[in-house]
Amino acid sequence: MTSDRTSRLTDRRTFIAGTVGTASLLAGCSGISGSSRSGTTDDPVVETGTASTRTPEGGAPSIDDLPDLEGDLTVYLGRGEGGAYSDLVSYLEDTRYEDFSVTLKRGPSSGLANTILTEAANGESPADVFWSIDAASLALVARNGLAATLPADLTGIVAGKFRDSKRRWVGLTGRARAIPYNTDRLTADDIPASVFDIPGKKRFQDALGWAPSYGSFQAFVTAMRHLEGDSRTRQWLNGVQETGVKSYPGEFGVTYDVAQGTVSAGFANHYYALRLKQANPDAPVDLAFTHGGPGALINVAGALVLRSSDRFDLATNFVRHFLTREVQRYLVEHVYSYPLASGVAPPDGGDIELPSIAELDPPDIDLAALGNVKETIRLLRDTGVL
């Protein structure tokens, strides 16, 4: 009789094995060619959607080029990305490396960061790796001197604006701010090039949605404060409220109601519209992207290794696995995040035209600054947004 564990293991092999050349991906996902442990290929090809491009020299490594993972790790993992991260961890320990095991502690990234600080104050944290869905939580741990310095050849896989300048943490995937809009009500030309031009426009009167209590929205407002100042940010928040805006607990709700026509447009991360379109290709929703300012912010999920860990080599090798082109492709195709390792194509948005990171022209901001949310929350309360 097949056990539940065996069934889960079979499922994990199915959905990820294509990244290492042992099987095909789950039906409906694009194939990913690469070598297995029993064979190699001298000229790997990255396949994403209908595009096929050779990985450039100096790009993301292949998972087959990394040392095996052997030993035990304790990983604090921020909740998010629909379980894809924990599924990848399970794949590594259950399927690929028989002598590797992970103890996972799940929770909100900000809560786990504070847990690490508390544990360190009382001795040391049992965590080896902190894997957060936002840069702010990583920065908080790093600022308190608890993060080890990562190898330069690891952090160097990722562009400088998506990693810590002192190599204490590195981004793994990115999410872009976007404006989902209902295509039955608006066109791309109706969406201004700057978020500052949205308040006061008649087409958005009583037709906008946002999620002000959601972490990604608060990071966006924090970026606005750092880039434009508190006065202009306050003016923008008041202007959007005067235009008329419906509040939601999360940004999937914003995007869903855009597609339903409850609101005409909103503020959300890019991937919610892509997930919605995957489930319902006929949904009347598209994405518009602003450029250069806070509306073009790209935040990251990333990881650090704790200084107190006595498994530094294993921990850094573990982090390195998530910057391989196979795993980056998996996250692109299943989570719709932007890959941060070079040489991996961005998500295939189908009918939604998704620009590259370079085309988005994200603002020049230290992502560590997004950890200062106390002043942002105070401003949101002062303006009546919260």
Side-chain angles (χ1 to χ4, degrees):
M1 182 172 66
T2 302
S3 66
D4 290 342
R5 176 179 171 84
T6 302
S7 297
R8 290 195 301 270
L9 182 58
T10 300
D11 291 342
R12 289 172 186 141
R13 288 195 181 103
T14 301
F15 74 66
I16 189 64
T19 64
V20 291
T22 57
S24 62
L25 282 174
L26 195 65
C29 299
S30 65
I32 300 178
S33 64
S35 62
S36 69
R37 278 305 191 197
S38 60
T40 61
T41 175
D42 294 328
D43 195 14
V45 175
V46 176
E47 295 180 354
T48 304
T50 58
S52 179
T53 57
R54 300 198 182 281
T55 302
E57 184 177 356
S62 169
I63 197 171
D64 292 315
D65 295 332
L66 301 186
D68 287 0
L69 293 170
E70 296 180 355
D72 304 325
L73 282 178
T74 297
V75 177
Y76 285 13
L77 174 58
R79 284 199 291 262
E81 311 301 359
Y85 290 157
S86 55
D87 285 339
L88 282 167
V89 171
S90 297
Y91 162 71
L92 293 176
E93 63 176 345
D94 291 345
T95 305
R96 188 171 178 88
Y97 302 114
E98 62 181 13
D99 296 323
F100 177 61
S101 64
V102 174
T103 299
L104 273 183
K105 181 171 183 174
R106 301 293 304 273
S109 290
S110 58
L112 290 175
N114 285 312
T115 296
I116 291 172
L117 266 59
T118 300
E119 290 170 341
N122 295 325
E124 66 179 35
S125 174
D128 298 297
V129 174
F130 177 34
W131 189 354
S132 168
I133 63 167
D134 68 83
S137 297
L138 296 169
L140 176 61
V141 173
R143 281 199 308 270
N144 281 271
L146 301 179
T149 301
L150 297 172
D153 66 333
L154 168 57
T155 59
I157 297 172
V158 175
K161 66 172 61 180
F162 303 125
R163 53 182 164 88
D164 179 58
S165 60
K166 297 180 180 179
R167 307 207 317 266
R168 296 170 298 182
W169 56 264
V170 63
L172 303 178
T173 59
R175 57 186 185 273
R177 297 303 295 172
I179 300 176
Y181 65 93
N182 186 290
T183 55
D184 290 339
R185 296 187 176 184
L186 300 172
T187 69
D189 291 338
D190 291 324
I191 309 300
S194 169
V195 292
F196 292 104
D197 293 329
I198 289 177
K201 292 287 192 299
K202 287 186 178 180
R203 67 179 67 99
F204 298 120
Q205 188 67 41
D206 300 318
L208 287 173
W210 65 10
S213 63
Y214 196 60
S216 291
F217 181 85
Q218 292 180 3
F220 154 63
V221 176
T222 303
M224 185 181 291
R225 289 180 47 242
H226 281 272
L227 292 166
E228 304 291 339
D230 283 2
S231 178
R232 194 177 190 198
T233 302
R234 179 185 293 272
Q235 183 181 13
W236 183 81
L237 292 169
N238 286 331
V240 174
Q241 290 186 99
E242 291 167 3
T243 298
V245 63
K246 181 178 174 61
S247 292
Y248 295 82
E251 292 186 345
F252 179 79
V254 173
T255 307
Y256 179 84
D257 265 15
V258 167
Q260 293 296 307
T262 305
V263 292
S264 298
F267 305 95
N269 285 332
H270 77 277
Y271 44 67
Y272 294 114
L274 272 63
R275 295 174 188 175
L276 195 152
K277 289 286 280 189
Q278 181 198 41
N280 182 8
D282 295 328
V285 64
D286 204 342
L287 290 175
F289 295 87
T290 59
H291 297 273
L297 176 70
I298 296 179
N299 205 341
V300 302
L304 59 75
V305 175
L306 276 296
R307 285 184 60 189
S308 55
S309 173
D310 59 3
R311 304 176 179 89
F312 178 79
D313 289 343
L314 175 60
T316 54
N317 187 22
F318 173 79
V319 173
R320 196 183 297 270
H321 272 68
F322 292 90
L323 286 171
T324 60
R325 54 183 177 265
E326 294 90 353
V327 174
Q328 288 276 294
R329 281 193 307 244
Y330 171 79
L331 291 171
V332 164
E333 294 179 0
H334 290 262
V335 183
Y336 301 103
S337 294
Y338 273 92
L340 296 185
S342 61
V344 182
D348 179 2
D351 292 340
I352 296 178
E353 186 175 349
L354 203 64
S356 68
I357 288 179
E359 290 169 330
L360 286 173
D361 186 27
D364 186 11
I365 185 172
D366 182 356
L367 292 177
L370 302 183
N372 182 18
V373 296
K374 289 184 179 179
E375 292 300 321
T376 295
I377 292 173
R378 182 178 291 112
L379 180 59
L380 292 172
R381 287 173 177 165
D382 286 347
T383 54
V385 174
L386 287 180

